[in-house]
PDB file of all heavy atoms in Angstrom:
ATOM      1  N   ALA I 169     -13.943  28.467 -50.381  1.00 93.00           N
ATOM      2  CA  ALA I 169     -14.643  28.546 -51.666  1.00 93.00           C
ATOM      3  C   ALA I 169     -15.963  29.276 -51.481  1.00 93.00           C
ATOM      4  O   ALA I 169     -16.558  29.242 -50.413  1.00 93.00           O
ATOM      5  CB  ALA I 169     -14.906  27.145 -52.206  1.00 93.00           C
ATOM      6  N   THR I 170     -16.374  29.931 -52.535  1.00 94.00           N
ATOM      7  CA  THR I 170     -17.709  30.528 -52.565  1.00 94.00           C
ATOM      8  C   THR I 170     -18.417  29.945 -53.776  1.00 94.00           C
ATOM      9  O   THR I 170     -17.833  29.866 -54.851  1.00 94.00           O
ATOM     10  CB  THR I 170     -17.619  32.057 -52.713  1.00 94.00           C
ATOM     11  OG1 THR I 170     -16.827  32.550 -51.641  1.00 94.00           O
ATOM     12  CG2 THR I 170     -18.996  32.700 -52.631  1.00 94.00           C
ATOM     13  N   ALA I 171     -19.642  29.484 -53.586  1.00 96.00           N
ATOM     14  CA  ALA I 171     -20.408  28.927 -54.704  1.00 96.00           C
ATOM     15  C   ALA I 171     -21.789  29.566 -54.691  1.00 96.00           C
ATOM     16  O   ALA I 171     -22.377  29.784 -53.628  1.00 96.00           O
ATOM     17  CB  ALA I 171     -20.522  27.412 -54.561  1.00 96.00           C
ATOM     18  N   HIS I 172     -22.265  29.872 -55.864  1.00 96.00           N
ATOM     19  CA  HIS I 172     -23.619  30.424 -55.970  1.00 96.00           C
ATOM     20  C   HIS I 172     -24.543  29.285 -56.382  1.00 96.00           C
ATOM     21  O   HIS I 172     -24.492  28.823 -57.515  1.00 96.00           O
ATOM     22  CB  HIS I 172     -23.642  31.559 -57.001  1.00 96.00           C
ATOM     23  CG  HIS I 172     -25.016  32.064 -57.262  1.00 96.00           C
ATOM     24  ND1 HIS I 172     -25.708  32.801 -56.347  1.00 96.00           N
ATOM     25  CD2 HIS I 172     -25.837  31.884 -58.318  1.00 96.00           C
ATOM     26  CE1 HIS I 172     -26.911  33.073 -56.842  1.00 96.00           C
ATOM     27  NE2 HIS I 172     -27.008  32.528 -58.020  1.00 96.00           N
ATOM     28  N   VAL I 173     -25.363  28.840 -55.445  1.00 97.00           N
ATOM     29  CA  VAL I 173     -26.281  27.734 -55.755  1.00 97.00           C
ATOM     30  C   VAL I 173     -27.678  28.297 -55.969  1.00 97.00           C
ATOM     31  O   VAL I 173     -28.054  29.305 -55.350  1.00 97.00           O
ATOM     32  CB  VAL I 173     -26.317  26.665 -54.624  1.00 97.00           C
ATOM     33  CG1 VAL I 173     -24.989  25.932 -54.520  1.00 97.00           C
ATOM     34  CG2 VAL I 173     -26.699  27.266 -53.280  1.00 97.00           C
ATOM     35  N   SER I 174     -28.444  27.658 -56.846  1.00 95.00           N
ATOM     36  CA  SER I 174     -29.826  28.108 -57.013  1.00 95.00           C
ATOM     37  C   SER I 174     -30.688  26.950 -57.484  1.00 95.00           C
ATOM     38  O   SER I 174     -30.179  25.918 -57.954  1.00 95.00           O
ATOM     39  CB  SER I 174     -29.908  29.287 -57.979  1.00 95.00           C
ATOM     40  OG  SER I 174     -29.731  28.844 -59.294  1.00 95.00           O
ATOM     41  N   LEU I 175     -31.963  27.146 -57.338  1.00 95.00           N
ATOM     42  CA  LEU I 175     -32.928  26.084 -57.574  1.00 95.00           C
ATOM     43  C   LEU I 175     -34.226  26.758 -58.007  1.00 95.00           C
ATOM     44  O   LEU I 175     -34.628  27.771 -57.434  1.00 95.00           O
ATOM     45  CB  LEU I 175     -33.128  25.355 -56.244  1.00 95.00           C
ATOM     46  CG  LEU I 175     -34.172  24.301 -56.115  1.00 95.00           C
ATOM     47  CD1 LEU I 175     -33.679  23.035 -56.794  1.00 95.00           C
ATOM     48  CD2 LEU I 175     -34.414  24.019 -54.651  1.00 95.00           C
ATOM     49  N   SER I 176     -34.862  26.179 -58.997  1.00 95.00           N
ATOM     50  CA  SER I 176     -36.113  26.735 -59.490  1.00 95.00           C
ATOM     51  C   SER I 176     -37.235  25.744 -59.225  1.00 95.00           C
ATOM     52  O   SER I 176     -37.080  24.555 -59.500  1.00 95.00           O
ATOM     53  CB  SER I 176     -35.947  26.990 -60.991  1.00 95.00           C
ATOM     54  OG  SER I 176     -36.840  27.964 -61.397  1.00 95.00           O
ATOM     55  N   LEU I 177     -38.353  26.214 -58.657  1.00 95.00           N
ATOM     56  CA  LEU I 177     -39.476  25.326 -58.344  1.00 95.00           C
ATOM     57  C   LEU I 177     -40.773  25.945 -58.851  1.00 95.00           C
ATOM     58  O   LEU I 177     -40.965  27.156 -58.730  1.00 95.00           O
ATOM     59  CB  LEU I 177     -39.614  25.143 -56.831  1.00 95.00           C
ATOM     60  CG  LEU I 177     -38.647  24.239 -56.078  1.00 95.00           C
ATOM     61  CD1 LEU I 177     -38.936  24.312 -54.589  1.00 95.00           C
ATOM     62  CD2 LEU I 177     -38.744  22.798 -56.572  1.00 95.00           C
ATOM     63  N   PRO I 178     -41.666  25.116 -59.371  1.00 96.00           N
ATOM     64  CA  PRO I 178     -42.986  25.656 -59.735  1.00 96.00           C
ATOM     65  C   PRO I 178     -43.848  25.888 -58.488  1.00 96.00           C
ATOM     66  O   PRO I 178     -43.774  25.112 -57.544  1.00 96.00           O
ATOM     67  CB  PRO I 178     -43.590  24.553 -60.613  1.00 96.00           C
ATOM     68  CG  PRO I 178     -42.888  23.300 -60.215  1.00 96.00           C
ATOM     69  CD  PRO I 178     -41.535  23.689 -59.687  1.00 96.00           C
ATOM     70  N   VAL I 179     -44.631  26.970 -58.482  1.00 95.00           N
ATOM     71  CA  VAL I 179     -45.571  27.235 -57.392  1.00 95.00           C
ATOM     72  C   VAL I 179     -46.915  26.660 -57.816  1.00 95.00           C
ATOM     73  O   VAL I 179     -47.425  26.981 -58.890  1.00 95.00           O
ATOM     74  CB  VAL I 179     -45.692  28.756 -57.114  1.00 95.00           C
ATOM     75  CG1 VAL I 179     -46.613  29.009 -55.924  1.00 95.00           C
ATOM     76  CG2 VAL I 179     -44.310  29.364 -56.885  1.00 95.00           C
ATOM     77  N   ARG I 180     -47.446  25.773 -56.984  1.00 95.00           N
ATOM     78  CA  ARG I 180     -48.718  25.123 -57.326  1.00 95.00           C
ATOM     79  C   ARG I 180     -49.681  25.261 -56.155  1.00 95.00           C
ATOM     80  O   ARG I 180     -49.260  25.373 -55.007  1.00 95.00           O
ATOM     81  CB  ARG I 180     -48.492  23.629 -57.602  1.00 95.00           C
ATOM     82  CG  ARG I 180     -47.572  23.372 -58.791  1.00 95.00           C
ATOM     83  CD  ARG I 180     -47.917  22.063 -59.496  1.00 95.00           C
ATOM     84  NE  ARG I 180     -47.134  21.958 -60.715  1.00 95.00           N
ATOM     85  CZ  ARG I 180     -46.113  21.106 -60.879  1.00 95.00           C
ATOM     86  NH1 ARG I 180     -45.785  20.278 -59.900  1.00 95.00           N
ATOM     87  NH2 ARG I 180     -45.459  21.081 -62.011  1.00 95.00           N
ATOM     88  N   SER I 181     -50.984  25.228 -56.445  1.00 94.00           N
ATOM     89  CA  SER I 181     -51.972  25.351 -55.359  1.00 94.00           C
ATOM     90  C   SER I 181     -52.174  24.018 -54.642  1.00 94.00           C
ATOM     91  O   SER I 181     -52.768  23.966 -53.581  1.00 94.00           O
ATOM     92  CB  SER I 181     -53.292  25.896 -55.903  1.00 94.00           C
ATOM     93  OG  SER I 181     -53.685  25.127 -57.005  1.00 94.00           O
ATOM     94  N   GLN I 182     -51.680  22.915 -55.227  1.00 94.00           N
ATOM     95  CA  GLN I 182     -51.812  21.605 -54.563  1.00 94.00           C
ATOM     96  C   GLN I 182     -50.605  21.330 -53.672  1.00 94.00           C
ATOM     97  O   GLN I 182     -49.549  21.924 -53.839  1.00 94.00           O
ATOM     98  CB  GLN I 182     -51.884  20.464 -55.600  1.00 94.00           C
ATOM     99  CG  GLN I 182     -53.003  20.550 -56.585  1.00 94.00           C
ATOM    100  CD  GLN I 182     -52.546  21.292 -57.854  1.00 94.00           C
ATOM    101  OE1 GLN I 182     -51.529  21.980 -57.865  1.00 94.00           O
ATOM    102  NE2 GLN I 182     -53.340  21.160 -58.903  1.00 94.00           N
ATOM    103  N   ARG I 183     -50.825  20.383 -52.760  1.00 94.00           N
ATOM    104  CA  ARG I 183     -49.730  19.898 -51.923  1.00 94.00           C
ATOM    105  C   ARG I 183     -48.615  19.334 -52.808  1.00 94.00           C
ATOM    106  O   ARG I 183     -48.913  18.593 -53.748  1.00 94.00           O
ATOM    107  CB  ARG I 183     -50.232  18.768 -50.991  1.00 94.00           C
ATOM    108  CG  ARG I 183     -50.882  19.262 -49.727  1.00 94.00           C
ATOM    109  CD  ARG I 183     -49.829  19.920 -48.844  1.00 94.00           C
ATOM    110  NE  ARG I 183     -50.439  20.849 -47.887  1.00 94.00           N
ATOM    111  CZ  ARG I 183     -50.784  20.518 -46.651  1.00 94.00           C
ATOM    112  NH1 ARG I 183     -50.606  19.293 -46.233  1.00 94.00           N
ATOM    113  NH2 ARG I 183     -51.304  21.415 -45.850  1.00 94.00           N
ATOM    114  N   PRO I 184     -47.378  19.659 -52.508  1.00 95.00           N
ATOM    115  CA  PRO I 184     -46.303  19.137 -53.361  1.00 95.00           C
ATOM    116  C   PRO I 184     -46.070  17.643 -53.148  1.00 95.00           C
ATOM    117  O   PRO I 184     -46.335  17.120 -52.069  1.00 95.00           O
ATOM    118  CB  PRO I 184     -45.084  19.941 -52.914  1.00 95.00           C
ATOM    119  CG  PRO I 184     -45.408  20.460 -51.568  1.00 95.00           C
ATOM    120  CD  PRO I 184     -46.903  20.559 -51.459  1.00 95.00           C
ATOM    121  N   THR I 185     -45.592  16.991 -54.189  1.00 96.00           N
ATOM    122  CA  THR I 185     -45.159  15.603 -54.021  1.00 96.00           C
ATOM    123  C   THR I 185     -43.679  15.599 -53.644  1.00 96.00           C
ATOM    124  O   THR I 185     -42.947  16.538 -53.940  1.00 96.00           O
ATOM    125  CB  THR I 185     -45.348  14.795 -55.327  1.00 96.00           C
ATOM    126  OG1 THR I 185     -44.725  15.525 -56.368  1.00 96.00           O
ATOM    127  CG2 THR I 185     -46.816  14.580 -55.648  1.00 96.00           C
ATOM    128  N   ILE I 186     -43.299  14.524 -52.974  1.00 96.00           N
ATOM    129  CA  ILE I 186     -41.902  14.373 -52.551  1.00 96.00           C
ATOM    130  C   ILE I 186     -41.081  13.923 -53.758  1.00 96.00           C
ATOM    131  O   ILE I 186     -41.500  13.026 -54.484  1.00 96.00           O
ATOM    132  CB  ILE I 186     -41.823  13.323 -51.410  1.00 96.00           C
ATOM    133  CG1 ILE I 186     -42.646  13.779 -50.203  1.00 96.00           C
ATOM    134  CG2 ILE I 186     -40.381  13.023 -51.019  1.00 96.00           C
ATOM    135  CD1 ILE I 186     -42.166  15.034 -49.512  1.00 96.00           C
ATOM    136  N   SER I 187     -39.959  14.537 -53.948  1.00 96.00           N
ATOM    137  CA  SER I 187     -39.099  14.170 -55.073  1.00 96.00           C
ATOM    138  C   SER I 187     -38.479  12.791 -54.823  1.00 96.00           C
ATOM    139  O   SER I 187     -37.829  12.569 -53.803  1.00 96.00           O
ATOM    140  CB  SER I 187     -37.994  15.216 -55.239  1.00 96.00           C
ATOM    141  OG  SER I 187     -36.898  14.661 -55.932  1.00 96.00           O
ATOM    142  N   SER I 188     -38.704  11.876 -55.759  1.00 96.00           N
ATOM    143  CA  SER I 188     -38.162  10.521 -55.552  1.00 96.00           C
ATOM    144  C   SER I 188     -36.644  10.521 -55.718  1.00 96.00           C
ATOM    145  O   SER I 188     -35.949   9.685 -55.160  1.00 96.00           O
ATOM    146  CB  SER I 188     -38.809   9.548 -56.531  1.00 96.00           C
ATOM    147  OG  SER I 188     -38.539   9.991 -57.840  1.00 96.00           O
ATOM    148  N   ARG I 189     -36.120  11.482 -56.461  1.00 94.00           N
ATOM    149  CA  ARG I 189     -34.673  11.507 -56.677  1.00 94.00           C
ATOM    150  C   ARG I 189     -33.923  11.937 -55.414  1.00 94.00           C
ATOM    151  O   ARG I 189     -32.886  11.386 -55.076  1.00 94.00           O
ATOM    152  CB  ARG I 189     -34.326  12.457 -57.815  1.00 94.00           C
ATOM    153  CG  ARG I 189     -32.856  12.394 -58.204  1.00 94.00           C
ATOM    154  CD  ARG I 189     -32.520  13.355 -59.310  1.00 94.00           C
ATOM    155  NE  ARG I 189     -32.569  14.738 -58.880  1.00 94.00           N
ATOM    156  CZ  ARG I 189     -31.565  15.355 -58.254  1.00 94.00           C
ATOM    157  NH1 ARG I 189     -30.468  14.707 -57.967  1.00 94.00           N
ATOM    158  NH2 ARG I 189     -31.679  16.623 -57.908  1.00 94.00           N
ATOM    159  N   THR I 190     -34.488  12.950 -54.718  1.00 96.00           N
ATOM    160  CA  THR I 190     -33.756  13.463 -53.553  1.00 96.00           C
ATOM    161  C   THR I 190     -34.158  12.761 -52.258  1.00 96.00           C
ATOM    162  O   THR I 190     -33.482  12.925 -51.245  1.00 96.00           O
ATOM    163  CB  THR I 190     -33.968  14.983 -53.395  1.00 96.00           C
ATOM    164  OG1 THR I 190     -35.342  15.238 -53.126  1.00 96.00           O
ATOM    165  CG2 THR I 190     -33.528  15.730 -54.640  1.00 96.00           C
ATOM    166  N   ALA I 191     -35.265  11.996 -52.282  1.00 97.00           N
ATOM    167  CA  ALA I 191     -35.771  11.367 -51.050  1.00 97.00           C
ATOM    168  C   ALA I 191     -34.708  10.579 -50.278  1.00 97.00           C
ATOM    169  O   ALA I 191     -34.609  10.736 -49.060  1.00 97.00           O
ATOM    170  CB  ALA I 191     -36.981  10.503 -51.370  1.00 97.00           C
ATOM    171  N   PRO I 192     -33.903   9.744 -50.946  1.00 96.00           N
ATOM    172  CA  PRO I 192     -32.910   8.968 -50.167  1.00 96.00           C
ATOM    173  C   PRO I 192     -31.916   9.864 -49.426  1.00 96.00           C
ATOM    174  O   PRO I 192     -31.541   9.559 -48.295  1.00 96.00           O
ATOM    175  CB  PRO I 192     -32.197   8.124 -51.232  1.00 96.00           C
ATOM    176  CG  PRO I 192     -33.132   8.077 -52.384  1.00 96.00           C
ATOM    177  CD  PRO I 192     -33.870   9.372 -52.367  1.00 96.00           C
ATOM    178  N   LEU I 193     -31.519  10.983 -50.057  1.00 96.00           N
ATOM    179  CA  LEU I 193     -30.565  11.886 -49.406  1.00 96.00           C
ATOM    180  C   LEU I 193     -31.193  12.567 -48.201  1.00 96.00           C
ATOM    181  O   LEU I 193     -30.573  12.695 -47.143  1.00 96.00           O
ATOM    182  CB  LEU I 193     -30.084  12.953 -50.404  1.00 96.00           C
ATOM    183  CG  LEU I 193     -29.066  12.496 -51.440  1.00 96.00           C
ATOM    184  CD1 LEU I 193     -28.867  13.560 -52.507  1.00 96.00           C
ATOM    185  CD2 LEU I 193     -27.743  12.197 -50.747  1.00 96.00           C
TER     186      LEU I 193
END
Side-chain angles (χ1 to χ4, degrees):
Chain I
T170 303
H172 174 71
V173 293
S174 75
L175 173 76
S176 204
L177 284 176
V179 183
R180 298 210 172 108
S181 52
Q182 301 92 343
R183 276 292 158 94
T185 52
I186 299 296
S187 158
S188 59
R189 187 181 70 83
T190 64
L193 284 170

